[in-house]
Amino acid sequence: MNPLKRLGRRRASVLALLAVAGLVTPAAATAAPDTVRASTLGAQAAQSGRYFGTAVAAGRLGDGTYTGILDREFNSVTPENEMKWDTIERSRGSFNFGPGDQIANRAAARGQRLRGHTLVWHQQLPSWVSSIRDANTLRGVMNNHITQVMNHYKGKVYAWDVVNEAFADGGSGQTRSSVFRDVLGTGFIEEAFRSARSADPSAKLCYNDYNIENWSDAKTQGVYRMVRDFKARGVPIDCVGLQSHFGAGGPPAGFQTTLSNFAALGVDVQITELDIAQAPTAAYANTVRACMNVARCTGITVWGIRDSDSWRSGENPLLFDRNGNKKPAYQSTLTALGGSAATRRTGAPSPRSAAALPSSFRWSSSGALIAPKPDATHNIAGIKDPSVVYYNGKYHVFASTASSAGYNLVYLSFSDWSQAGSATHHYLDRTPIGAGYRAAPQVFYNTQQRLWYLVYQTGNASYSTNPDISNPSGWSAPRNFYSSMPDIIRQNIGNGYWVDMWVICDSANCYLFSSDDNGHLYRSQTTVGQFPNGFTNTVIAAQDSKYALFEASNVYKVQGSNQYLLLVEAIGSDGRRYFRSWTASSLAGSWSPLAASESNPFAKSSNVTFPAGTWTRDISHGEMIRAGYDQTLTIPACKLQYLYQGKDPNAGGDYNSLPWRLGLLTQTNSTC
């Protein structure tokens, strides 16, 4: 959103195709409406802010059936052996990251979250480590290994199994005999976690073990006491991994209690190595349901893809058979996650996906729902650039306020669109956000940090945070994503303006898009763990002629699919604002035209009806009504709604004083 004066009528040639920088580089959505379901495990888990992952072997990545299932079904991966000590540091000080990098880079390119497994474990340990008997030597070796490995994968690994299987089986509830415990004492676990936090402050640090699923077991209680002690003393631990290698009976009756009790200590819980002998449908469903019922159970990983890939292959414990076909437990797992599997006869044509977007759109518009509410200190001419989420029974709308004196931000909330016009306007210049130029807000909830983010432009890309979206005074003072304008933007902006910052995250990375009013869409990235810091690798994500790719970009994840939707505001040959659209399979990928021309627009007055009267000919800067409210910006695939800005078609004059109002588009050609 450019706050400076614009020319009234413009003409531009609108190109049918968008030139794209197709650079391939390295969510979670909140609970979705019950009527919209995903058809894959990872997509459905993401709708509740979780991941559904699998163990991956680098040696199987040449198997097309294996990788086809991997890419379709899972939004998280764990290297099965490639990050263990005997692979990475077989000889002291000589590190082999090749196999681990193969998995890490592949996951990053596909937007899959990466779990690191494992740093300190008494098995798969080179003999040169297990034979050390000097405490100082072993301490140095252990800490160096942790530091070197975590530094190498910093920014790529979401969570690390820092220490694995340190507790003994049986009734002692104590740590097991190992070179680490026998030489360093039980304090080696704490030291490993402290070294890990120093090496990568952004990664989640997990303790991982088997046979700790039954709450009453001595081993479970021993791990629980350790975690409770660590939390009480400030030892850095973020999560507990329960491997969950079950027999045919599935999880113990108190499995959910175990998950809940660990979570109550203030850590996440994760099911990290799930497999169940003979894969009974009820056992898988019960396991998944237990996780879904615990808010801090953040994800599930099955230990392999097909039965033939399993370390327990004789027990057929996984969700896909040896030929890669879905087993009955797949459906029960997907259902327990909240999804529904699409079924198809062998050889039958694939039906149109319920998640597929149409190639053209038609809309109906409300009248002007939200207008400025000037007061003694706010002489406002227009309300613009809305961002909206539905949370806790209310729509929460943030928008720019415009006047000849400049721009700032406003917040309002209401339960129903019929109440939008009467809602109280809270001016955010009265909060720590402060006075001065703040415009074009975007709001979302960061599920990892449990904070609301308000992104906006200040001449830089800025943000504030707030633990409570309904408290207008709770926003922090502005902070910047960048120290200054990235060089690539400076080199291409010409006479344009750096505007309209937009953040969206997948399971591994967060991306910041912005425009320059000069035909360029830019993209920077950082990891989910580093966010909001670390935005680098700024590239031109898309380019076109100046007015064909002007500003106000929106990027969304389409629910129930591996599809992203890009909207960018253009200025048509009639001088009016409208939106073009493109899709891509990843946020760092290439964008393909959807409804991307002036003759086939995503939203323009020519494909919008106005039952209450034509109050605008501009369909300008706005935001889709989302299926959730988190950083993945997930939208439904059909029955779309778009909150936008419009204005009296006859209004003119100074751009900052134009009478912009907010209205709501509703899709009328939905196929579901």
Side-chain angles (χ1 to χ4, degrees):
M1 193 243 22
N2 177 6
L4 303 181
K5 184 176 179 178
R6 308 283 180 86
L7 299 176
R9 291 181 61 82
R10 317 193 187 219
R11 298 187 64 85
S13 63
V14 181
L15 304 181
L17 297 177
L18 187 64
V20 180
L23 182 67
V24 179
T25 53
T30 50
D34 288 342
T35 54
V36 183
R37 301 296 192 189
S39 58
T40 65
L41 300 168
Q44 186 59 45
Q47 291 183 9
S48 63
R50 295 172 171 87
Y51 64 81
F52 199 99
T54 185
V56 173
R60 292 189 174 95
L61 293 177
D63 181 332
T65 301
Y66 182 90
T67 55
I69 300 170
L70 170 62
D71 295 345
R72 184 187 74 230
E73 294 290 344
F74 301 103
N75 62 348
S76 172
V77 299
T78 302
E80 188 168 358
N81 293 296
E82 290 76 2
M83 290 186 180
K84 291 173 181 173
W85 201 315
D86 65 351
T87 297
I88 283 187
E89 194 185 4
R90 185 177 294 274
S91 300
R92 183 171 179 178
S94 179
F95 290 87
N96 172 27
F97 293 112
D101 286 353
Q102 185 180 358
I103 293 173
N105 295 337
R106 192 181 191 282
R110 288 159 176 78
Q112 292 167 316
R113 185 173 293 184
L114 181 67
R115 294 192 79 261
H117 178 78
T118 176
L119 294 169
V120 179
W121 186 32
H122 65 281
Q123 292 188 2
Q124 291 184 244
L125 194 64
S127 60
W128 69 266
V129 181
S130 58
S131 63
I132 295 173
R133 291 297 176 263
D134 177 73
N136 288 334
T137 301
L138 184 59
R139 181 175 291 108
V141 163
M142 182 184 77
N143 290 337
N144 181 65
H145 181 81
I146 291 169
T147 301
Q148 295 297 326
V149 175
M150 292 188 74
N151 279 341
H152 180 81
Y153 289 108
K154 185 179 292 186
K156 296 182 179 180
V157 170
Y158 153 73
W160 275 102
D161 291 332
V162 178
V163 177
N164 193 52
E165 300 177 3
F167 276 75
D169 296 322
S172 73
Q174 303 299 312
T175 54
R176 71 167 66 243
S177 175
S178 71
V179 63
F180 300 107
R181 192 206 69 175
D182 296 347
V183 175
L184 298 176
T186 58
F188 86 89
I189 305 175
E190 176 176 340
E191 183 161 356
F193 274 88
R194 292 193 184 277
S195 293
R197 177 67 85 224
S198 296
D200 187 351
S202 298
K204 296 269 190 181
L205 307 182
C206 308
Y207 176 78
N208 190 56
D209 216 327
Y210 66 94
N211 285 354
I212 60 168
E213 294 81 15
N214 188 8
W215 176 242
S216 62
D217 285 354
K219 186 175 182 180
T220 308
Q221 291 298 307
V223 174
Y224 179 83
R225 287 191 297 270
M226 179 191 73
V227 176
R228 183 177 61 191
D229 173 62
F230 280 10
K231 295 299 290 185
R233 293 191 295 109
V235 179
I237 184 169
D238 303 306
C239 46
V240 172
L242 298 90
Q243 293 182 13
S244 304
H245 297 295
F246 294 135
F255 183 44
Q256 184 176 319
T257 298
T258 304
L259 295 174
S260 297
N261 287 344
F262 275 113
L265 294 176
V267 294
D268 292 340
V269 288
Q270 301 170 354
I271 298 173
T272 55
E273 303 181 18
L274 177 63
D275 47 29
I276 307 177
Q278 307 310 323
T281 57
Y284 262 101
N286 290 339
T287 304
V288 172
R289 215 172 285 121
C291 177
M292 298 296 289
N293 289 340
V294 176
R296 294 200 69 159
C297 184
T298 56
I300 298 169
T301 297
V302 288
W303 206 245
I305 295 178
R306 303 164 300 191
D307 286 334
S308 54
D309 306 316
S310 172
W311 70 300
R312 305 168 66 186
S313 60
E315 297 176 286
N316 298 321
L318 297 175
L319 299 175
F320 296 86
D321 67 21
R322 294 164 191 269
N323 295 318
N325 298 311
K326 298 172 183 176
K327 294 161 63 174
Y330 174 95
Q331 175 61 59
S332 69
T333 298
L334 186 63
T335 300
L337 287 168
S340 58
T343 57
R344 181 164 66 94
R345 297 188 312 276
T346 301
S350 297
R352 174 185 173 88
S353 168
L357 294 169
S359 58
S360 63
F361 294 84
R362 294 193 300 275
W363 308 88
S364 176
S365 177
S366 69
L369 297 176
I370 301 174
K373 292 188 176 181
D375 63 16
T377 57
H378 297 86
N379 184 23
I380 296 166
I383 185 165
K384 311 181 54 194
D385 319 317
S387 182
V388 56
V389 292
Y390 186 76
Y391 172 73
N392 202 21
K394 289 186 176 182
Y395 292 98
H396 299 263
V397 175
F398 296 80
S400 304
T401 56
S403 70
S404 58
Y407 283 73
N408 207 270
L409 305 175
V410 67
Y411 162 73
L412 57 152
S413 64
F414 44 86
S415 299
D416 186 84
W417 289 106
S418 63
Q419 303 167 352
S422 59
T424 301
H425 287 207
H426 301 273
Y427 296 104
L428 300 186
D429 60 354
R430 295 169 174 166
T431 75
I433 287 176
Y437 172 45
R438 288 95 168 91
Q442 180 211 6
V443 68
F444 61 86
Y445 185 67
N446 186 298
T447 53
Q448 279 73 34
Q449 300 174 17
R450 291 177 168 79
L451 279 175
W452 290 94
Y453 273 79
L454 191 65
V455 177
Y456 48 93
Q457 63 191 52
T458 59
N460 200 327
S462 300
Y463 68 93
S464 297
T465 59
N466 190 344
D468 180 3
I469 193 174
S470 65
N471 177 16
S473 299
W475 293 102
S476 65
R479 286 165 282 186
N480 293 336
F481 288 110
Y482 305 95
S483 59
S484 61
M485 181 187 292
D487 288 342
I488 193 170
I489 301 179
R490 192 184 314 278
Q491 294 159 7
N492 288 278
I493 196 169
N495 294 322
Y497 302 93
W498 188 26
V499 296
D500 299 335
M501 291 71 188
W502 183 270
V503 171
I504 179 172
C505 306
D506 58 27
S507 60
N509 297 290
C510 293
Y511 299 85
L512 197 161
F513 290 85
S514 60
S515 301
D516 67 0
D517 285 350
N518 193 32
H520 301 97
L521 178 69
Y522 302 98
R523 184 190 71 235
S524 304
Q525 73 180 66
T526 188
T527 65
V528 168
Q530 287 179 298
F531 180 83
N533 303 309
F535 275 106
T536 57
N537 192 27
T538 304
V539 298
I540 297 174
Q543 58 186 342
D544 205 332
S545 61
K546 179 181 180 75
Y547 301 128
L549 197 75
F550 197 57
E551 61 181 26
S553 67
N554 299 188
V555 187
Y556 304 98
K557 177 72 168 69
V558 180
Q559 193 172 48
S561 73
N562 293 318
Q563 189 177 55
Y564 291 90
L565 173 69
L566 165 67
L567 308 179
V568 182
E569 185 175 325
I571 300 178
S573 57
D574 59 357
R576 300 296 185 183
R577 304 301 185 94
Y578 75 101
F579 279 97
R580 305 171 68 198
S581 61
W582 299 262
T583 59
S585 59
S586 76
L587 289 168
S590 299
W591 295 100
S592 301
L594 182 63
S597 66
E598 191 168 1
S599 61
N600 180 30
F602 180 78
K604 193 178 190 297
S605 59
S606 58
N607 67 338
V608 176
T609 60
F610 295 88
T614 306
W615 65 278
T616 180
R617 289 296 184 192
D618 292 274
I619 308 297
S620 185
H621 196 141
E623 185 174 321
M624 203 75 74
I625 308 301
R626 300 179 224 157
Y629 46 82
D630 73 357
Q631 71 274 5
T632 63
L633 309 188
T634 301
I635 60 170
C638 56
K639 299 180 181 177
L640 301 178
Q641 289 189 299
Y642 193 80
L643 184 64
Y644 74 103
Q645 66 179 37
K647 63 177 176 61
D648 182 342
N650 298 314
D654 176 62
Y655 183 81
N656 292 1
S657 299
L658 291 174
W660 293 101
R661 305 290 187 266
L662 304 184
L664 184 67
L665 297 179
T666 299
Q667 185 186 6
T668 58
N669 69 326
S670 176
T671 58
C672 55

